[in-house]
């Protein structure tokens, strides 16, 4: 009965066997990755069967039957297992079964020769990206290096001002000097009720309570403003406020936008640890250079604590795509890390150089791949 059904399905599928043969990486490997590689892929070889390697697939597993016989789908044990309704033999034994169109594609691939991209082993991934060579006139020049954003900041002499009683800090003098150069003066100081409201929103993201407003308005001590600032900086809400500005740069999320239904394999169940680490870093006034250093290499720093490992969420919370074992898919995930790191810490769109030398920033293709290679070599 089973052989008869297979013969009937072959006859029904014959019109689909013409045309361009399916390509392993593009058409076949995604099906195997979704349904088979969990048990018969690079990491697990249940029943002695491995389907990500051509020699292993041709040999088959412990059953002694070849999983794939190029040109002969009737003798390809893989097709028999994905078609059968026998609960003791059906593959995959758990989860979603292959759709009819997926089985038909596998059959067509086998009937047309079951070609791998490389004759002897695991399929290579053909890139769809075209790398354009850098034109000689596009070399990074000394003028590029003098662009204002690449010049290290240096201390400036205090700006001269006329109204010397207004500035409280060095920055105030530069602001006032620019105002005076345009014939303008500073606005009068805001009323105390407005001051505490501005400060509270700026430093905690929340409005002051009515009691806090009354207390500040009635506090006539000369350092009332400074003490208000210190109190707000000491509030746990300060770290939450600052984290709300940083986490979007780190593309923080606890799940993926492409989740479907109750599928949770792309969730980040411990993402909250990164959020908590960022909040705590601001609340304990962690220096900015250390803040960045821990998010890039906490696992490589001898003086980092166990709690600091959560800082690596900057690199680990990027998008996870389907078919994650494919080289081109992994390359997209590496690009996300390069893009996030450089946009957030350098203010540069380095990922543009994945395909060509950057059009306006002094970043070459080799710079991109030098950085992407670091992520490619990191698990």
């Amino acid at each position: 009965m089973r052989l008869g059904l297979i013969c009937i399905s072959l006859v029904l599928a014959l019109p689909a066997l013409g045309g361009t043969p399916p390509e392993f990486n593009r058409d076949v490997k995604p099906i195997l990755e979704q349904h088979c590689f969990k048990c018969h892929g690079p990491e697990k070889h249940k029943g002695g069967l491995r389907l990500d390697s051509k020699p292993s697939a041709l040999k088959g597993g412990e059953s002694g039957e070849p999983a794939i016989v190029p040109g002969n789908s009737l003798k390809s044990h893989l097709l028999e297992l994905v078609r059968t309704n026998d609960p003791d033999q059906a593959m995959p034994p758990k989860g979603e079964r292959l759709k009819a169109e997926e089985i038909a594609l596998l059959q067509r691939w086998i009937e047309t020769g079951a070609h791998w991209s490389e004759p002897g082993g695991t399929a290579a991934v053909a890139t769809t990206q075209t790398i354009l060579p850098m034109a000689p006139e596009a070399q990074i020049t000394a003028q590029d290096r003098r662009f204002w954003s690449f010049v290290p900041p240096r201390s400036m002499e205090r700006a001269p001002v006329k109204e010397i009683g207004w500035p409280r800090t060095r920055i105030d003098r530069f602001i006032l000097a620019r105002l005076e150069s345009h014939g303008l003066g500073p606005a009068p100081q805001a009323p105390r009720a407005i001051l505490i409201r501005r400060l509270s929103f700026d430093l905690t993201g929340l409005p002051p309570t009515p009691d806090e407003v009354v207390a500040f308005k009635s506090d006539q001590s000369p350092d009332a403003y400074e003490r208000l600032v210190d109190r707000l900086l000491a509030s746990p809400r300060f770290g939450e406020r600052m984290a709300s500005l940083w986490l979007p740069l780190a593309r923080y999320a606890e799940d993926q936008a492409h989740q479907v239904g109750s599928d949770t394999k792309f969730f980040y169940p411990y993402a909250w640890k990164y959020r908590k680490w960022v909040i705590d870093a601001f609340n304990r006034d962690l220096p900015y250079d250390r803040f960045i250093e821990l998010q890039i290499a906490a696992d490589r720093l001898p003086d980092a604590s166990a709690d600091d490992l959560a800082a690596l969420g900057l690199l680990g919370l990027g998008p996870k795509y389907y078919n994650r074992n494919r080289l081109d898919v992994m390359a997209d995930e590496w690009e996300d890390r390069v893009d996030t790191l450089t946009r957030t810490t350098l203010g540069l769109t380095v990922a543009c150089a994945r395909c060509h030398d950057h059009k306006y920033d002094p970043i070459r293709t080799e710079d991109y791949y030098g950085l992407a290679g670091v992520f490619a070599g990191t698990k």
Side-chain angles (χ1 to χ4, degrees):
M1 173 66 76
R2 187 162 56 199
L3 182 59
L5 291 175
I6 293 175
C7 290
I8 292 173
S9 65
L10 274 174
V11 172
L12 293 175
L14 282 177
L17 295 179
T20 304
E23 201 276 321
F24 180 83
N25 289 301
R26 184 190 63 224
D27 305 312
V28 177
K29 192 177 181 183
I31 298 174
L32 300 180
E33 284 179 331
Q34 182 177 355
H35 298 285
C36 309
F37 279 9
K38 183 177 181 180
C39 298
H40 307 289
E43 299 179 359
K44 291 185 180 180
H45 315 138
K46 286 190 176 182
L49 177 61
R50 182 173 178 176
L51 292 173
D52 67 314
S53 164
K54 182 176 182 180
S56 299
L58 297 180
K59 179 181 177 182
E62 295 172 356
S63 68
E65 301 182 62
I68 296 170
V69 179
N72 194 331
S73 58
L74 282 177
K75 293 185 178 180
S76 298
H77 194 46
L78 173 64
L79 279 179
E80 184 177 355
L81 295 177
V82 298
R83 283 195 178 105
T84 183
N85 292 319
D86 184 341
D88 294 329
Q89 297 190 40
M91 292 293 163
K94 297 179 181 179
E96 183 183 3
R97 299 292 303 277
L98 272 70
K99 299 180 178 65
E101 57 268 26
E102 293 175 323
I103 295 174
L105 191 147
L106 288 177
Q107 177 190 327
R108 181 169 170 236
W109 173 64
I110 292 171
E111 290 289 341
T112 55
H115 296 292
W116 250 263
S117 297
E118 291 182 356
T122 304
V125 177
T127 179
T128 58
Q129 307 268 348
T130 300
I131 306 301
L132 303 179
M134 186 179 218
E137 64 274 11
Q139 294 293 327
I140 297 172
T141 65
Q143 183 177 359
D144 291 327
R145 299 181 188 280
R146 288 194 297 270
F147 189 70
W148 70 267
S149 64
F150 301 123
V151 177
R154 57 186 177 86
S155 180
M156 303 290 292
E157 293 293 330
R158 292 197 306 172
V161 296
K162 298 174 183 177
E163 194 175 336
I164 58 175
W166 184 81
R168 295 185 180 181
T169 67
R170 287 171 58 92
I171 293 177
D172 291 343
R173 295 182 69 92
F174 287 99
I175 294 172
L176 181 59
R178 177 60 62 89
L179 288 173
E180 290 178 345
S181 69
H182 291 278
L184 302 173
Q189 181 165 299
R192 295 175 80 82
I194 294 178
L195 276 178
I196 186 174
R197 184 173 175 83
R198 288 177 179 173
L199 276 174
S200 294
F201 274 117
D202 280 348
L203 297 181
T204 69
L206 299 169
T209 66
D211 289 343
E212 289 172 336
V213 173
V214 171
F216 182 64
K217 290 174 66 176
S218 60
D219 187 351
Q220 298 301 315
S221 57
D223 62 344
Y225 182 86
E226 288 76 8
R227 286 190 291 105
L228 171 61
V229 172
D230 288 340
R231 178 176 67 80
L232 294 174
L233 289 176
S235 167
R237 307 289 85 79
F238 170 71
E240 294 170 1
R241 163 64 173 161
M242 298 303 295
S244 73
L245 304 176
W246 178 262
L247 292 174
L249 301 177
R251 41 87 172 102
Y252 173 82
E254 297 183 4
D255 59 8
Q256 299 283 307
H258 54 269
Q259 291 288 145
V260 178
S262 59
D263 182 2
T264 61
K265 64 176 174 287
F266 290 154
F267 277 16
Y268 294 113
Y270 301 108
W272 61 271
K273 291 190 174 186
Y274 174 67
R275 180 186 67 229
K276 181 179 182 299
W277 183 89
V278 172
I279 293 172
D280 291 345
F282 282 112
N283 279 334
R284 59 191 167 104
D285 198 21
L286 186 68
Y288 180 73
D289 56 349
R290 184 65 170 174
F291 179 70
I292 297 300
E293 187 179 48
L294 287 168
Q295 292 182 78
I296 296 174
D299 59 327
R300 306 298 296 170
L301 299 175
D303 56 343
S305 68
D307 291 339
D308 284 330
L309 292 177
L312 296 171
L314 174 69
L315 306 179
L317 291 177
K320 294 188 288 189
Y321 301 107
Y322 292 99
N323 305 321
R324 297 193 75 203
N325 291 324
R326 282 171 47 179
L327 183 57
D328 56 337
V329 174
M330 290 190 288
D332 288 339
E333 294 182 354
W334 300 330
E335 179 187 15
D336 165 77
R337 292 170 192 159
V338 172
D339 196 43
T340 299
L341 178 65
T342 55
R343 283 177 186 260
T344 302
T345 62
L346 301 179
L348 297 174
T349 52
V350 172
C352 296
R354 180 184 180 184
C355 305
H356 52 74
D357 293 311
H358 206 292
K359 298 300 184 183
Y360 51 86
D361 282 333
I363 302 295
R364 305 186 342 172
T365 303
E366 63 188 89
D367 298 325
Y368 169 82
Y369 281 96
L371 187 54
V374 175
F375 295 117
T378 305
K379 184 175 182 181

